[in-house]
Amino acid sequence: MPNPLSISLPALRSFDMAARVGSFKEAARELGVTPTAISHQVRTLEEQLGVALFVRKTRTVVLTEEGKRLAASTLKGFQEIHEGLDALGSSSSRLTIATTPAFAALWLVPRVADFEARHRGFTVHVETSTEPVNLERDRRIDVAIRYGTGEHPGLATIPLLEESFGAFANPELLQADTALENTTLIETRWRSPILSPIGWDDWLEAQQLDPGQFPSRRCFDQEQHSIQAALAGQGVVLASNLLVKDMVDRGWLVEYRPEARLQGLRYTALARSDHSRTGKVRQFLAWLEREAGG
């Protein structure tokens, strides 16, 4: 048996990930390297140990008995390392939250000052992207707030908010009593390929109206841009009731035909299961759940 100190740590990390996902290709994707690199690292480890760790098949790899024993140890070992790093990170005053640009700008950011006032030892840093963050890979992120449906295995999840889509406009535009057919209809072109788009055609068809009779349209890539156009009186926007709530409460926007809503999806808060129990994350999730319920 070789000296344990001579065993390559990258090789152990590659083996551990391949053992978890059962594929060199998937392990490479998770670690941000090539499948060839994973294969080379595992082969190096097998040569150092003098045993076969995997049975190679066409698209998958299967652990040998020796591989199963080593996988149990690496799983525990890397988990303890992650927990130790998280424990160090939990003493930091910075909370990093990842979410979509629109949810950050129109719902989260206006509220985070309340969290910081209640928990004066912490500051909240918000990162935005339309692409979901991988919490296992990017461990800088404390909490991710995602939109959509689906399962999130291995993560602590808190359902936050269900949304619906309605038609909203500047009050002056609606007071002018302009027919909807003569108004510009504003909507957002969703970037995510995994989400079914919700647009004016859906709203009009639900009201048994012909979309072809409403030719004046404007489309934006970001929801906050669509909503800003409506605030400026440029037309009627189809928007999430959650994202326009503050503007409706202030009287800046008014809903056109409130009974004519389309069902949307939901926002969910996610954190790594072990990390969700650390003080700063636990307190932020509890605050977030209260805000969503209020």
Side-chain angles (χ1 to χ4, degrees), residues 50 72 132 165 179 258 280 287:
F165 283 81
K280 64 179 182 179
W287 170 84

Side-chain angles (χ1 to χ4, degrees):
M1 176 63 65
N3 182 343
L5 295 179
S6 69
I7 300 297
S8 164
L9 185 59
L12 282 172
R13 188 72 184 99
S14 296
F15 163 79
D16 177 70
M17 185 57 69
R20 293 187 194 207
V21 300
S23 163
F24 287 173
K25 182 178 180 181
E26 286 301 307
R29 185 179 65 82
E30 290 294 328
L31 296 177
V33 299
T34 65
T36 301
I38 296 291
S39 179
H40 175 73
Q41 293 281 13
V42 171
R43 182 69 68 188
T44 297
L45 184 60
E46 289 177 323
E47 290 174 355
Q48 288 179 320
L49 297 175
V51 296
L53 300 172
F54 289 105
V55 176
R56 276 79 166 168
K57 296 191 175 183
T58 304
R59 289 186 172 84
T60 61
V61 289
V62 179
L63 287 165
T64 63
E65 288 302 316
E66 292 83 358
K68 289 178 182 178
R69 290 199 296 271
L70 181 59
S73 297
T74 59
L75 175 63
K76 181 180 179 181
F78 281 112
Q79 184 64 39
E80 288 182 354
I81 291 172
H82 288 319
E83 289 175 358
L85 293 172
D86 284 341
L88 291 175
S90 68
S91 63
S92 168
S93 63
R94 180 184 172 110
L95 269 159
T96 302
I97 314 301
T99 189
T100 63
F103 188 80
L106 300 173
W107 194 93
L108 181 60
V109 169
R111 290 169 170 81
V112 294
D114 177 74
F115 173 81
E116 292 176 341
R118 293 172 182 268
H119 305 277
R120 294 192 177 275
F122 300 128
T123 57
V124 177
H125 172 71
V126 179
E127 295 190 3
T128 65
S129 175
T130 56
E131 297 296 324
V133 66
N134 185 320
L135 291 175
E136 289 294 342
R137 184 181 300 169
D138 191 349
R139 301 180 75 84
R140 298 176 307 106
I141 305 300
D142 294 300
V143 176
I145 303 173
R146 292 184 187 167
Y147 177 75
T149 59
E151 300 298 322
H152 306 284
L155 298 175
T157 64
I158 298 178
L160 294 178
L161 299 155
E162 298 272 352
E163 75 173 0
S164 59
F165 283 81
F168 299 88
N170 185 306
E172 293 181 3
L173 182 69
L174 294 186
Q175 289 169 4
D177 204 26
T178 304
L180 194 63
E181 294 90 335
N182 300 324
T183 302
T184 298
L185 304 184
I186 304 167
E187 62 188 1
T188 304
R189 181 190 301 109
W190 291 4
R191 293 182 177 183
S192 175
I194 64 174
L195 297 176
S196 299
I198 298 175
W200 269 109
D201 285 359
D202 303 297
W203 190 94
L204 293 167
E205 289 170 358
Q207 310 314 311
Q208 299 183 338
L209 297 171
D210 178 9
Q213 299 301 310
F214 300 81
S216 181
R217 308 285 185 100
R218 289 196 72 186
C219 189
F220 295 88
D221 288 334
Q222 296 286 349
E223 289 165 288
Q224 61 267 40
H225 298 163
S226 300
I227 293 168
Q228 286 294 328
L231 285 168
Q234 297 175 13
V236 182
V237 65
L238 187 70
S240 160
N241 68 309
L242 299 176
L243 300 185
V244 300
K245 183 180 184 304
D246 289 347
M247 286 161 267
V248 171
D249 290 345
R250 289 176 169 83
W252 299 346
L253 290 176
V254 175
E255 188 165 9
Y256 172 76
R257 295 187 60 183
E259 77 282 0
R261 291 272 189 95
L262 296 176
Q263 184 61 45
L265 301 177
R266 68 174 179 267
Y267 288 91
T268 303
L270 308 172
R272 296 185 302 279
S273 294
D274 56 322
H275 196 46
S276 67
R277 296 187 292 272
T278 61
K280 64 179 182 179
V281 175
R282 185 179 68 253
Q283 291 179 63
F284 183 80
L285 291 174
W287 170 84
L288 194 61
E289 197 168 16
R290 286 195 301 271
E291 285 293 308

